[in-house]
Amino acid sequence: MIFMKMVQVGFSYPGQKKPLLNDINFSIHKEGITALTGPNGVGKTTLSKLMVGILAPSTGHITLKGQNMSSMALAQIGRLVGYVFQNPEKQLFCPTVSEEIGFGLQNLELPEHEVQRLVKENLAYFELEHLAQNFPLQLSEGEKRRLAIAAVLVLEPELLVLDEPTTGLDAYRKHLLGECLLKLVASKRGVFMISHDSNFIDRYASRILILENGRLKENGC
Amino acid sequence: MGVKLAVKMINLDPRAKIVIVLCLSTLAVFFNTPGLLLIVLIITLLLLQIFQVKYISLIYKFRRLLPVLFVLLFIQSAFTGHGQVLVAFGDVHILTTGGVSSASCVLLRMLILFGSAMIIATSNSRDYVLALVELKIPYEIAFMVLIALRFLPVFVQEAKDTLIAIQLRGVDMQKVAWGKKIKVFTYIFSPLVSNVLLKANQLAISMEARGFRLYPRRTYLRVLKYNSLDYLITILSLSITLVVLTLSIIR
Ligand SMILES: Nc1ncnc2c1ncn2[C@@H]1O[C@H](COP(=O)(O)OP(=O)(O)O)[C@@H](O)[C@H]1O
Ligand SMILES: [Mg+2]
C-alpha cells in the first residue's frame, strides 16, 4: 500500500519568482531506506517539510495513507511521520533530556511506568543515560542530534523523515544510527533521509532520489 | 510625479517621520469625538497613500477586533448613561449614541495609531539607529537597539519552529484546553530564552574580537542629513498640530 504520495507538487516561498519545486511526483511505501540528495539550497529541506505538513504545497497535493494531508492536523501527521529537523536545536524544548524523550509519550496517554520504561530504554540505546538530567540545549552537537532522533523515534512513527542526520556524528555514532534505521526497516517501517554523506547512503539506502533544478530524479540502482 | 514624490517621502529623514507619527498620535489621543478622529484618520491614510504603503490589508486585519468593539459598544451604552437611547430593553439601555461614539472613537484611534506606525516602517531599522546616533545617544546603546531589531524576526521564527515541533510530537493545538495551552507556551519560552542568552553572548564575543568599542567613535558608512524637505515637513506638522490643539482647547 502506498503510504505517502505527492502529486504534481510545486512550491515557492512568498516573494520567490521562480518556483523552488516543480511538478514533484513520487510515492513512498513503508519499506526500506530512501535517500534524497542534491546540491545545497535546491530545496531538500523544503521538500521534507512538505512531507510532514509544516509547509503546504503551492500547487498539487500530498496524500498520507490515502487522506489529503491539508485536512490533517500536525499532531495527527506527527503520529504517522516522525521528523528530525536539519538543526536539531529547533525541536528540543524540554528542561531535561529525559523529559524531552518522554514528551511525546505523555501525549499518548500511556501509563506512567510504561513512559518511564521507554525513556530509559531509549536513553540507553542512544547512550544518553549520563546526561538524563541535563539541559538539552547545552549538549554537544552530536548529543543534540541523538536526542532529537530519540525523542522522535520513541513515538514509533510509521515513516521517519531525517534531514541530514549524520552531520555532527562521529563514525561510531553514524554506525549506531545506521543500525537503528535498519532495525526500523526490519519492523516494517519506512525511512526517508536527506543526506550528502555518500558512504552512508551507499551503505544503507535502498532507493536514491536526486533533486535538481526543482525536479526530482530517481536513480535506478 | 506620483512616483517621484513617493520616493522623496520614503527617503525622508527618519526623524522627520517620527515627528509626523508623534503629531498624528498626539491628535489621536487628544481628540475624543468620532468626527475629528475621522479627519485625522483620513489624513493618516492620505499620508500612507503618498508613502505608497498598502494599507488595505491593515484595515482588513481589524475585522478580528469587531467582536471586542461590539462588546465595548454595549458595555459603554449600558453603563455610561450619556447620549440618546437608541435601543432599550425595559430599563436597560442596550444602545445609546454615547456608546456608539465611544466605540467608534476606540476603533478610529487604533486605526490611526497602527496606520502611523506603518509610516515608521517605511524606513530601514538601521536608519533609526543612525537617527539615535545623531541625537547624541551613545552608539553602544544605538547598536543594542539595532541588534534587537535585527534579531527579533529570527526569534519569532524560532518560536514558530518550536511550536511546530511540539505539535508534531502529538499536541493538537486546536484541541488542547486553555490551561494546557499556557503550559505549551512555557515550552516555547525556555529554548527561546536560552537561545537569546547564547546569541547575545556569542555576539558580544565576536563583536569585541572585531574591535567594537575600542575607540569612543565609530565610522558610519551612511550619514543622515536633515535637508530642506525634512525641515519643511517637521515644521509644518508641528505647527499644524500645535495650532489645532490650541484652537480646540480655547473653544
Ligand atoms: N522560510 C524561507 N523563506 C524564504 N526562502 C527560504 C526559506 N527557507 C528556505 N528558503 C530558500 O529556499 C531555498 C532552498 O532551501 P532548502 O530547502 O533549505 O535547501 P536545501 O535543504 O536543499 O539545502 C534556499 O535558496 C533558501 O534560501
Ligand atoms: Mg537542508
Side-chain angles (χ1 to χ4, degrees), chain A residues 88-139:
Chain A
E89 252 175 42
K90 290 198 175 179
Q91 63 190 106
L92 304 178
F93 48 82
C94 292
T96 67
V97 167
S98 51
E99 273 181 65
E100 194 69 61
I101 296 179
F103 181 86
L105 296 170
Q106 288 170 317
N107 296 324
L108 299 183
E109 296 178 348
L110 291 177
E112 190 167 332
H113 61 89
E114 185 66 12
V115 172
Q116 269 165 9
R117 186 183 66 77
L118 284 166
V119 169
K120 253 210 181 100
E121 210 177 280
N122 279 277
L123 280 174
Y125 185 83
F126 288 93
E127 301 184 359
L128 294 165
E129 288 148 311
H130 59 295
L131 302 166
Q133 296 309 316
N134 285 29
F135 184 49
L137 294 175
Q138 281 171 348
L139 302 181

Side-chain angles (χ1 to χ4, degrees), chain A residues 13-14 16 20 39-47 86 163-164:
Chain A
Y13 284 104
Q16 267 177 346
L20 187 61
N40 288 141
V42 279
K44 301 181 298 299
T45 298
T46 308
L47 183 67
Q86 178 162 16
D163 193 353
E164 307 208 10

Side-chain angles (χ1 to χ4, degrees), chain A residues 52 54 73-75 77-79 83 85 89-95 99-101 103-104 107 135 137 151-152 155, chain B residues 157-158 161-175 180 184 186-188 190-192 194-195 198:
Chain A
V52 279
I54 298 175
L74 279 179
I77 298 171
R79 287 294 313 271
Y83 185 60
F85 284 72
E89 252 175 42
K90 290 198 175 179
Q91 63 190 106
L92 304 178
F93 48 82
C94 292
E99 273 181 65
E100 194 69 61
I101 296 179
F103 181 86
N107 296 324
F135 184 49
L137 294 175
V152 170
L155 292 176
Chain B
Q157 188 57 46
E158 243 155 49
D161 286 335
T162 308
L163 188 59
I164 285 173
I166 291 173
Q167 284 175 286
L168 279 176
R169 275 203 257 158
V171 178
D172 193 339
M173 287 307 278
Q174 251 103 54
K175 286 193 189 134
K180 260 195 154 173
V184 171
T186 61
Y187 278 119
I188 296 178
S190 71
L192 200 61
S194 118
N195 256 333
L198 195 74

Side-chain angles (χ1 to χ4, degrees), chain A:
Chain A
M1 189 189 131
I2 291 176
F3 182 71
M4 182 187 285
K5 188 172 180 173
M6 292 209 177
V7 184
Q8 297 181 332
V9 168
F11 183 84
S12 45
Y13 284 104
Q16 267 177 346
K17 285 182 207 89
K18 200 170 145 250
L20 187 61
L21 301 173
N22 234 328
D23 194 27
I24 304 273
N25 293 290
F26 77 102
S27 321
I28 291 186
H29 301 261
K30 268 192 319 187
E31 57 185 30
I33 299 178
T34 307
L36 173 67
T37 65
N40 288 141
V42 279
K44 301 181 298 299
T45 298
T46 308
L47 183 67
S48 68
K49 284 184 176 170
L50 287 164
M51 289 176 69
V52 279
I54 298 175
L55 297 170
S58 318
T59 57
H61 63 94
I62 307 171
T63 57
L64 184 59
K65 283 192 146 179
Q67 197 184 345
N68 194 332
M69 207 136 104
S70 60
S71 66
M72 298 170 79
L74 279 179
Q76 244 177 317
I77 298 171
R79 287 294 313 271
L80 302 171
V81 187
Y83 185 60
V84 182
F85 284 72
Q86 178 162 16
N87 175 0
E89 252 175 42
K90 290 198 175 179
Q91 63 190 106
L92 304 178
F93 48 82
C94 292
T96 67
V97 167
S98 51
E99 273 181 65
E100 194 69 61
I101 296 179
F103 181 86
L105 296 170
Q106 288 170 317
N107 296 324
L108 299 183
E109 296 178 348
L110 291 177
E112 190 167 332
H113 61 89
E114 185 66 12
V115 172
Q116 269 165 9
R117 186 183 66 77
L118 284 166
V119 169
K120 253 210 181 100
E121 210 177 280
N122 279 277
L123 280 174
Y125 185 83
F126 288 93
E127 301 184 359
L128 294 165
E129 288 148 311
H130 59 295
L131 302 166
Q133 296 309 316
N134 285 29
F135 184 49
L137 294 175
Q138 281 171 348
L139 302 181
S140 82
E141 281 304 302
E143 289 161 350
K144 275 182 202 160
R145 188 167 297 277
R146 267 143 62 203
L147 175 58
I149 295 173
V152 170
L153 268 189
V154 72
L155 292 176
E156 310 199 320
E158 296 182 35
L159 176 72
L160 182 67
V161 179
L162 304 132
D163 193 353
E164 307 208 10
T166 56
T167 346
L169 294 189
D170 58 35
Y172 168 64
R173 262 66 184 229
K174 267 189 211 174
H175 170 77
L176 272 189
L177 174 67
E179 296 309 307
C180 170
L181 297 183
L182 288 180
K183 253 195 232 167
L184 279 181
V185 171
S187 63
K188 294 272 171 278
R189 291 165 210 281
V191 173
F192 182 96
M193 64 172 183
I194 295 170
S195 183
H196 291 293
D197 190 333
S198 49
N199 286 335
F200 194 76
I201 294 177
D202 288 344
R203 177 124 187 225
Y204 295 103
S206 48
R207 179 186 177 197
I208 300 176
L209 301 172
I210 301 166
L211 190 62
E212 239 170 19
N213 296 323
R215 287 174 188 280
L216 203 59
K217 277 192 296 195
E218 180 123 22
N219 197 352
C221 61

Side-chain angles (χ1 to χ4, degrees), chain B:
Chain B
M1 169 66 203
V3 176
K4 240 182 173 172
L5 182 64
V7 170
K8 265 202 178 137
M9 293 297 279
I10 289 168
N11 287 336
L12 222 53
D13 193 290
R15 285 164 288 177
K17 288 184 192 173
I18 293 176
V19 171
I20 298 178
V21 171
L22 280 180
C23 288
L24 286 172
S25 38
T26 309
L27 290 176
V29 173
F30 191 78
F31 289 152
N32 48 16
T33 60
L36 290 173
L37 284 171
L38 192 61
I39 294 172
V40 180
L41 178 62
I42 289 170
I43 294 170
T44 312
L45 292 184
L46 277 177
L47 280 170
L48 285 175
Q49 188 77 45
I50 294 172
F51 279 104
Q52 295 200 330
V53 177
K54 296 192 175 60
Y55 54 81
I56 303 295
S57 63
L58 168 82
I59 295 178
Y60 189 65
K61 271 185 197 139
F62 266 77
R63 78 192 185 283
R64 295 213 182 146
L65 273 176
L66 284 180
V68 181
L69 280 170
F70 271 109
V71 172
L72 201 73
L73 180 64
F74 295 124
I75 291 176
Q76 291 273 1
S77 297
F79 295 106
T80 62
H82 64 277
Q84 273 177 304
V85 181
L86 298 175
V87 183
F89 189 78
D91 266 350
V92 184
H93 298 168
I94 307 272
L95 204 61
T96 63
T97 48
V100 173
S101 107
S102 20
S104 37
C105 280
V106 171
L107 176 65
L108 288 168
R109 266 196 202 116
M110 284 205 247
L111 281 170
I112 294 167
L113 292 180
F114 280 95
S116 49
M118 287 172 94
I119 294 179
I120 296 261
T122 56
S123 275
N124 194 322
S125 55
R126 206 164 270 272
D127 284 356
Y128 287 101
V129 176
L130 291 177
L132 292 181
V133 173
E134 296 285 319
L135 293 173
K136 303 282 179 274
I137 287 170
Y139 77 75
E140 288 92 336
I141 294 177
F143 222 84
M144 262 157 41
V145 174
L146 174 68
I147 287 166
L149 287 173
R150 151 83 178 70
F151 277 105
L152 205 60
V154 176
F155 291 133
V156 169
Q157 188 57 46
E158 243 155 49
K160 279 186 185 163
D161 286 335
T162 308
L163 188 59
I164 285 173
I166 291 173
Q167 284 175 286
L168 279 176
R169 275 203 257 158
V171 178
D172 193 339
M173 287 307 278
Q174 251 103 54
K175 286 193 189 134
V176 295
W178 267 102
K180 260 195 154 173
K181 248 183 205 160
I182 292 169
K183 185 148 192 278
V184 171
F185 284 111
T186 61
Y187 278 119
I188 296 178
F189 251 23
S190 71
L192 200 61
V193 171
S194 118
N195 256 333
V196 169
L197 292 178
L198 195 74
K199 283 231 170 72
N201 207 349
Q202 286 173 349
L203 202 73
I205 293 171
S206 67
M207 274 167 62
E208 302 232 332
R210 284 196 259 161
F212 187 71
R213 268 177 46 162
L214 206 52
Y215 300 104
R217 267 188 54 77
R218 205 177 121 81
T219 318
Y220 289 91
L221 299 180
R222 193 169 122 75
V223 179
L224 291 180
K225 254 186 74 190
Y226 229 62
N227 60 29
S228 47
L229 185 64
D230 296 318
Y231 279 112
L232 181 72
I233 298 232
T234 309
I235 293 166
L236 213 62
S237 7
L238 282 179
S239 45
I240 293 177
T241 309
L242 280 178
V243 169
V244 171
L245 282 182
T246 20
L247 279 182
S248 60
I249 289 172
I250 291 168
R251 275 219 337 235

